Amino acid sequence: MSLTWGRVAAWRTRAHSLDVRRPAADALDVVSELCGLHAQLMSSAEAMLHARVDGLPADYVEKALWEDRTLVKTWCMRGTLHLLRSDEYPLWQAGFATYKHYTKPVWHRGFKITAEELQALLEGVSAALEGRVLTRAELADEVAARTSEHIGEKLRESWGAYLKPASFQGRLVFGPGEGQLVRFTRPDTWIAVGPPPADAVCEIALRWWGVQGVATREEFARWWGVSPAEGGRVVKALGDRLTSVDVEGVPHWARSDLVTALRKAEPVRTVRLLPAFDQYVVAATKHAACLMDGGSPDAVYRSQGWLSPVLLVDGLMAGVWSQERKGGRVVITVEPFRSLTAEVRKAVAAEADRWGRSVEVAWAG
């Protein structure tokens, strides 16, 4: 099976709900299909959903997290923060429970903690958060009282390094903040936690291929946060549920049940202002140049893991943008990679108007 990147881009745009916006009632389905909302920046997580869903209240994400509890915030793939559907938390947590990097001696040496101390820390976190919501300082004090001051100090000196293993083991998620302070709680304190499914990683991998369309084992491994060899073992375990496809001379894997749809994908006509760390951009690192209309991947994938906000035109990354508040106005500065038509510029202005406040679009370059 031979595919072009144009077909892949068209299919992927639809899979990401970036062709036609979905109704508000589909918001949680969109979160599920995207494999969560990247939440290193909470504003980006919110914008990611609003780019795909119509009619959402401005406070939808905050209310879903802290009132309705239909979303949950935790450390996920690659150790990055994501928002997940609460009712799917058992699936994701079962997948994260397979992570082993923090059990290796090299991790212990790097973070100056023994395996025994880490286990004590994890058990201390779990006990301290039972039925409670605590700030990091409060959690550190509680863990110190249950273990040792040395272990408690580990939680004070690092933002997330020692808490991520706790989240991977299902011992910790984020709770509602207290002013400017972040707070944590235990999953079974905060949401309903059912039994974990079997073969969670395979189910997660199929879901990810379902939104990406095509990918190599290395791309899956990078997204999931494991070695290429481990990614290869997942591909092998999926068996005939994946099919080898050729994308402009390079072998990739695609979900077998989606190959025909990929081959027949028609071009899309769409303009979107995607926020920083949008899921459409996150997994495209290796073949970013194939999904760009001009420009260089360096303009999007910047140093220290920063991913720029992107102008998406007809499924291709066609520029980057930034915003700045000036008095009572928000100025969005768009830097296209090449000249845009008047129709596209008009569509960009319409996208900015959806923000529902005084917005001005400026053009750079």
Side-chain angles (χ1 to χ4, degrees):
M1 177 66 67
S2 182
L3 299 170
T4 66
W5 279 112
R7 297 279 188 186
V8 172
W11 187 92
R12 183 179 285 186
T13 302
R14 293 187 175 91
H16 277 257
S17 297
L18 290 170
D19 57 334
V20 178
R21 284 190 172 88
R22 306 271 288 275
D26 287 358
L28 291 179
D29 291 335
V30 171
V31 174
S32 178
E33 291 159 12
L34 292 178
C35 298
L37 304 178
H38 200 290
Q40 293 293 106
L41 296 175
M42 277 299 295
S43 59
S44 288
E46 295 164 358
M48 203 179 307
L49 198 54
H50 283 272
R52 294 163 167 85
V53 179
D54 246 339
L56 285 180
D59 64 347
Y60 174 85
V61 169
E62 182 177 3
K63 189 171 182 290
L65 278 169
W66 314 129
E67 295 182 30
D68 301 336
R69 304 189 189 185
T70 52
L71 293 177
V72 64
K73 180 180 179 181
T74 191
W75 278 288
C76 297
M77 35 278 181
R78 307 180 308 284
T80 56
L81 292 171
H82 278 69
L83 310 184
L84 305 171
R85 277 183 63 149
S86 297
D87 59 2
E88 294 182 342
Y89 175 79
L91 166 68
W92 290 98
Q93 196 279 311
F96 303 142
T98 65
Y99 285 167
K100 301 299 180 187
H101 61 280
Y102 61 86
T103 68
K104 306 285 180 61
V106 65
W107 193 95
H108 299 145
R109 289 194 298 271
F111 288 99
K112 297 180 173 57
I113 190 170
T114 67
E116 294 74 21
E117 288 171 337
L118 178 61
Q119 186 60 35
L121 183 152
L122 295 173
E123 292 174 0
V125 165
S126 185
L129 292 177
E130 183 178 9
R132 308 169 76 187
V133 183
L134 301 175
T135 66
R136 186 173 64 149
E138 291 168 342
L139 179 59
D141 290 343
E142 290 283 346
V143 171
R146 285 172 165 79
T147 57
S148 69
E149 183 58 33
H150 168 69
I151 292 176
E153 190 60 32
K154 291 295 182 183
L155 295 180
R156 299 187 187 98
E157 70 185 24
S158 173
W159 162 232
Y162 303 99
L163 294 179
K164 291 178 184 181
S167 71
F168 298 151
Q169 291 191 3
R171 301 174 186 262
L172 171 149
V173 295
F174 282 67
E178 186 178 87
Q180 297 298 311
L181 299 176
V182 172
R183 296 197 298 171
F184 304 98
T185 189
R186 215 166 76 173
D188 57 0
T189 293
W190 189 246
I191 58 175
V193 179
D199 298 324
V201 175
C202 284
E203 185 173 337
I204 289 168
L206 285 173
R207 182 174 298 188
W208 181 79
W209 253 285
V211 76
Q212 298 309 321
V214 301
T216 64
R217 71 163 197 170
E218 288 79 10
E219 286 169 314
F220 170 73
R222 187 196 66 80
W223 173 80
W224 184 234
V226 297
S227 70
E230 291 173 293
R233 285 192 282 273
V234 174
V235 170
K236 184 177 181 180
L238 288 171
D240 60 8
R241 287 175 287 181
L242 293 181
T243 294
S244 179
V245 296
D246 175 288
V247 187
E248 297 187 5
V250 179
H252 289 73
W253 294 101
R255 260 178 47 174
S256 300
D257 60 333
L258 299 176
V259 168
T260 299
L262 277 159
R263 182 173 57 85
K264 294 182 177 180
E266 295 294 333
V268 291
R269 298 288 291 171
T270 183
V271 174
R272 294 287 186 270
L273 291 170
L274 304 184
F277 301 104
D278 192 273
Q279 297 290 50
Y280 190 87
V281 180
V282 166
T285 308
K286 184 175 180 180
H287 53 252
C290 301
L291 297 173
M292 299 183 76
D293 184 12
S296 164
D298 292 342
V300 175
Y301 302 88
R302 294 159 58 190
S303 59
Q304 298 181 326
W306 182 267
L307 272 62
S308 298
V310 163
L311 168 63
L312 191 76
V313 177
D314 300 340
L316 299 178
M317 291 180 272
V320 294
W321 62 275
S322 60
Q323 63 175 310
E324 180 182 8
R325 182 171 292 278
K326 293 185 178 181
R329 298 175 300 124
V330 174
V331 177
I332 296 176
T333 301
V334 182
E335 185 177 351
F337 295 145
R338 64 174 71 217
S339 179
L340 301 176
T341 66
E343 181 184 6
V344 169
R345 288 177 177 248
K346 184 178 179 180
V348 170
E351 283 293 296
D353 287 344
R354 292 185 74 254
W355 293 16
R357 54 185 184 237
S358 180
V359 177
E360 174 186 330
V361 176
W363 297 91

